[in-house]
Amino acid sequence: MKPIVFLVLMTMLGLATQAQSFDANIHQTLKNYLSEFPEQTQFSVAIVDGDTTRFYGQVKFSDTINQLDNRASVFQIGSVTKVFTSTLLAQLVIEKQVKLLDSIQYYFSFPLKEKAITLEELSNHTSGLPRLPSNLNLATANPKNPYQFYAEADLEYYLAKEMEVSSGDQPSYQYSNLGAAILAKALENATEKTFAELLSEQIFQPLEMKNSSLDKDSVGGNLVQGLDQNGKETPTWDMGQFEGAGAILLSTQDLSRFVKAHFQDAEDAYSLTTLPTFMVNNNLRIGLGWHILQNEQGNNLYWHNGGTGGYSSSVFMVPETFKAVIILSNVSAYHPKASRIDELGFKLLGAQ
């Protein structure tokens, strides 16, 4: 055998061995975390490194943990939806249909009780709005589907009669599901299209996200059954007026396409969402939707998580190094160890 050919073969074997070792370590890490959750719990994970995306799936069944290919399986992503809502905002800004500093009053046909809030403030959680509207009481709502019966008339009544923002001389960060819901409504009114239509036209279709939807019936048998905090089957939440805050259903494979769109060297909606718009403190800034941290190498780390009654998700990306980690699961946001999903994501990102 020629020396050059031999060296090439040895290099290829070395790389293959490294990849197998990496995969084995990831599977073991997932197994360690998954063991803490109920029967039928699934993890669906994507690890992005440049042009390479590796998918890992595991399910806990009868006290054993098995690998499975669930990259096309569908989970509800909860508040990760807010990043998509902000991406729609960014796209409409680029198309000059709206401006970040527009008052939300421009996009509603009736007088709002608070008119000074801007679209940007809804996106970066500096509007001063509370987490939820005052006329939605989760304590008396159906705990298995708390947003289901909050109607459009309820939201409009709140906006016209009850809307209040926190007072202060300077804007401050105050996370708000309500703000994301209002943002989605404003974008619908600006375009005369539904939130579902905007997502499909602007994001899902261009990125070929074929297993992404707001409609659980449209994803059929691909939908993974959600589990409550006790490991019992629980309905997928109907987000109703809060679609923009947490309704999207999608797969790890699709979400990896969305994340990788942020890695392109282009001045587009994805790059616009990653620009800092507000500094919370020395360790945290906010873009449009994204929370911005710094990793140990000093690069910007963009993060968002989400949770509903039957699902938890977490997304981490570092566009400067073309790396990302995505975790989708049917771990309830109310499970006492739900925060371990974020912890797992940080751990996997550090393993790259």
Side-chain angles (χ1 to χ4, degrees):
M1 181 178 295
K2 295 181 179 179
I4 294 177
V5 175
F6 177 77
L7 288 173
V8 170
L9 287 174
M10 291 301 294
T11 300
M12 292 175 63
L13 287 172
L15 291 174
T17 301
Q18 289 177 14
Q20 290 170 358
S21 177
F22 180 84
D23 289 345
N25 289 336
I26 297 300
H27 281 300
Q28 185 59 52
T29 299
L30 296 182
K31 186 175 181 179
N32 293 343
Y33 278 79
L34 186 55
S35 64
E36 302 179 16
F37 293 104
E39 296 288 304
Q40 303 296 334
T41 297
Q42 285 192 38
F43 285 172
S44 182
V45 173
I47 297 180
V48 180
D49 186 358
D51 294 329
T52 301
T53 304
R54 292 185 172 91
F55 296 96
Y56 304 89
Q58 291 187 357
V59 60
K60 184 177 180 180
F61 183 70
S62 298
D63 287 327
T64 62
I65 294 175
N66 299 309
Q67 297 179 21
L68 78 162
D69 186 352
N70 57 4
R71 71 187 70 186
S73 298
V74 173
F75 301 75
Q76 190 167 46
I77 62 172
S79 287
V80 176
T81 299
K82 294 180 176 68
V83 177
F84 285 80
T85 305
S86 290
T87 302
L88 293 178
L89 168 62
Q91 182 61 39
L92 295 181
V93 168
I94 287 173
E95 294 174 1
K96 301 187 184 306
Q97 295 193 57
V98 304
K99 297 178 181 178
L100 288 178
L101 298 184
D102 280 348
S103 164
I104 60 173
Q105 180 62 76
Y106 295 165
Y107 303 105
F108 289 89
S109 60
F110 55 90
L112 304 181
K113 191 167 182 289
E114 296 284 349
K115 300 178 175 61
I117 298 170
T118 67
L119 298 178
E120 180 180 86
E121 289 171 335
L122 294 178
S123 178
N124 68 10
H125 302 284
T126 60
S127 66
L129 287 167
R131 193 177 188 92
L132 294 171
S134 52
N135 61 344
L136 172 59
N137 186 351
L138 293 186
T140 59
N142 176 7
K144 291 187 176 296
N145 213 343
Y147 297 92
Q148 183 178 18
F149 297 114
Y150 189 81
E152 184 175 8
D154 296 321
L155 180 60
E156 291 184 355
Y157 180 85
Y158 171 82
L159 292 173
K161 303 295 184 182
E162 296 186 5
M163 182 165 58
E164 292 185 1
V165 297
S166 56
S167 59
D169 296 333
Q170 299 295 328
S172 62
Y173 172 80
Q174 185 172 325
Y175 189 83
S176 178
N177 287 322
L178 171 61
I182 296 172
L183 177 58
K185 291 294 180 183
L187 300 181
E188 287 184 328
N189 295 339
T191 59
E192 298 184 345
K193 294 180 179 180
T194 67
F195 185 57
E197 289 170 339
L198 288 171
L199 284 171
S200 179
E201 293 174 9
Q202 301 286 2
I203 301 176
F204 294 164
Q205 289 186 27
L207 295 181
E208 298 184 355
M209 297 172 63
K210 299 178 181 178
N211 289 312
S212 300
S213 178
L214 297 179
D215 179 14
K216 60 180 180 291
D217 294 327
S218 71
V219 297
N222 286 335
L223 181 64
V224 175
Q225 175 63 56
L227 303 176
D228 67 15
Q229 63 267 39
N230 299 313
K232 305 297 183 182
E233 293 186 359
T234 193
T236 302
W237 279 2
D238 297 299
M239 296 301 294
Q241 303 306 305
F242 288 82
E243 285 181 338
I248 291 178
L249 305 155
L250 50 64
S251 66
T252 307
Q253 189 171 49
D254 279 1
L255 191 47
S256 68
R257 293 175 180 270
F258 175 76
V259 166
K260 290 170 74 173
H262 296 76
F263 295 172
Q264 307 302 315
D265 185 16
E267 293 185 3
D268 57 12
Y270 300 101
S271 63
L272 181 55
T273 63
T274 62
L275 296 179
T277 60
F278 185 76
M279 177 173 285
V280 180
N281 54 48
N282 291 334
N283 300 314
L284 176 64
R285 292 167 294 159
I286 305 294
L288 296 178
W290 289 108
H291 294 76
I292 309 171
L293 309 168
Q294 279 196 325
N295 65 10
E296 293 179 353
Q297 289 73 42
N299 296 318
N300 288 331
L301 166 60
Y302 298 85
W303 168 77
H304 213 296
N305 65 358
T308 63
Y311 304 89
S312 292
S313 58
S314 203
V315 181
F316 306 79
M317 67 176 192
V318 185
E320 293 168 270
T321 58
F322 308 103
K323 296 181 184 295
V325 169
I326 298 163
I327 304 173
L328 303 183
S329 75
N330 57 343
V331 171
S332 172
Y334 301 125
H335 190 281
K337 293 188 176 181
S339 62
R340 296 276 280 167
I341 302 300
D342 290 334
E343 181 183 314
L344 172 60
F346 277 110
K347 189 177 187 68
L348 295 177
L349 192 65
Q352 293 192 76

